[in-house]
């Protein structure tokens, strides 16, 4: 940030009174400009048929990570709930009709100032198609997931949690909320 959005004066970085972190502060009007983590919200769309479970993934048509696979997800919009964001992103990226279930994973990614939330979801039908941000969408069983071509660590971790938890559910357990912190940047060879 270079200029105050209230009065257009160049901002300075300082710790405001009664605070403990550096912030962008306007020396003219004294507005403190807080910058907080962004929420990335998505779903884990599942199709189950005759005991065979598959997850819908999208191949990215945009950077970052063009051509890599991901769960349908994106930035939450102002005026939107997290569940509405998950449904919207799933529709936009995969053209998929879903029934949203409980929040499944919370992944903190402090080095990029983001928190990723993924909801479990059931596909209502197989009428899905790539949106403008996806090259293709495809159902994958756990054995067929393109693990080396997954776009982001948050997606890999969520998928691992999901399939591990799914085995527990199959043995009479229940779904759990998973929380995980990712502190290091992605490897350049991913």
């Amino acid at each position: 940030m270079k200029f105050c959005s209230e009065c257009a004066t160049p901002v300075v970085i300082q710790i405001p009174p009664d605070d403990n972190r550096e912030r962008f502060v306007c020396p003219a009007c004294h507005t403190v400009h807080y910058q907080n983590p962004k929420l990335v919200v998505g779903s884990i769309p599942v199709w189950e048929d005759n005991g065979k479970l598959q997850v819908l993934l999208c191949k990215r048509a945009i950077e970052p990570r063009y051509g890599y696979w991901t769960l349908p997800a994106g930035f939450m919009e102002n005026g939107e709930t997290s569940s509405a964001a998950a449904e919207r992103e799933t529709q936009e990226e995969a053209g998929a009709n879903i029934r949203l279930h409980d929040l499944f994973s919370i992944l903190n990614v402090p080095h990029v100032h983001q928190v990723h939330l993924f909801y479990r979801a059931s596909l209502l039908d197989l009428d899905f198609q790539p949106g403008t941000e996806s090259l293709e969408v495809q159902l994958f069983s756990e054995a067929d997931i393109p693990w080396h071509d997954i776009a982001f660590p948050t997606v890999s971790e969520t998928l691992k949690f999901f399939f591990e938890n799914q085995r527990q559910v199959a043995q009479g357990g229940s779904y759990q909320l998973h929380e995980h912190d990712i502190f290091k940047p992605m490897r350049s060879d991913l």
Side-chain angles (χ1 to χ4, degrees):
M1 178 174 221
K2 294 183 180 187
F3 300 96
C4 177
S5 59
E6 298 295 318
C7 71
T9 300
V11 295
V12 295
I13 297 175
Q14 65 184 46
I15 299 174
D18 299 323
D19 202 338
N20 60 6
R21 294 178 187 266
E22 288 186 334
R23 312 282 185 187
F24 291 105
V25 178
C26 178
C29 72
H30 308 289
T31 299
V32 178
H33 298 278
Y34 295 95
Q35 293 185 319
N36 303 104
K38 293 189 178 287
L39 291 175
V40 173
V41 185
S43 72
I44 311 162
V46 173
W47 181 258
E48 191 166 2
D49 187 35
N50 293 324
K52 182 180 180 184
L53 183 80
Q54 295 178 299
V55 174
L56 187 68
L57 297 180
C58 304
K59 187 178 242 186
R60 291 179 59 80
I62 59 172
E63 293 293 350
R65 310 295 284 159
Y66 178 94
Y68 285 80
W69 292 94
T70 188
L71 290 165
F75 289 108
M76 186 172 157
E77 298 289 349
N78 289 334
E80 187 174 52
T81 66
S82 58
S83 58
E87 289 175 321
R88 176 185 52 77
E89 287 290 343
T90 303
Q91 180 58 235
E92 287 178 2
E93 294 187 7
N97 301 308
I98 60 170
R99 182 176 70 245
L100 209 60
H101 303 294
D102 294 335
L103 181 62
F104 181 77
S105 64
I106 301 170
L107 300 109
N108 299 297
V109 195
H111 63 276
V112 291
H113 318 296
Q114 295 176 1
V115 176
H116 294 211
L117 308 174
F118 289 95
Y119 286 83
R120 287 186 311 104
S122 298
L123 286 165
L124 298 177
D125 53 49
L126 294 176
D127 184 25
F128 51 79
Q129 66 279 337
T132 58
E133 295 182 2
S134 300
L135 296 170
E136 61 182 287
V137 290
Q138 183 178 332
L139 287 169
F140 291 93
S141 66
E142 180 180 12
D144 296 327
I145 297 276
W147 292 105
H148 293 304
D149 293 327
I150 297 295
F152 306 107
T154 54
V155 173
S156 294
E157 291 299 323
T158 294
L159 288 169
K160 288 174 189 173
F161 288 144
F162 178 76
F163 288 115
E164 187 177 288
N165 205 169
Q166 184 62 36
R167 284 187 281 281
Q168 295 168 351
V169 168
Q171 295 176 1
S174 60
Y175 288 105
Q176 302 165 9
L177 179 62
H178 300 268
E179 185 177 356
H180 186 71
D181 300 329
I182 297 174
F183 289 104
K184 61 182 182 176
M186 294 184 332
R187 295 188 336 242
S188 61
D189 61 337
L190 282 179

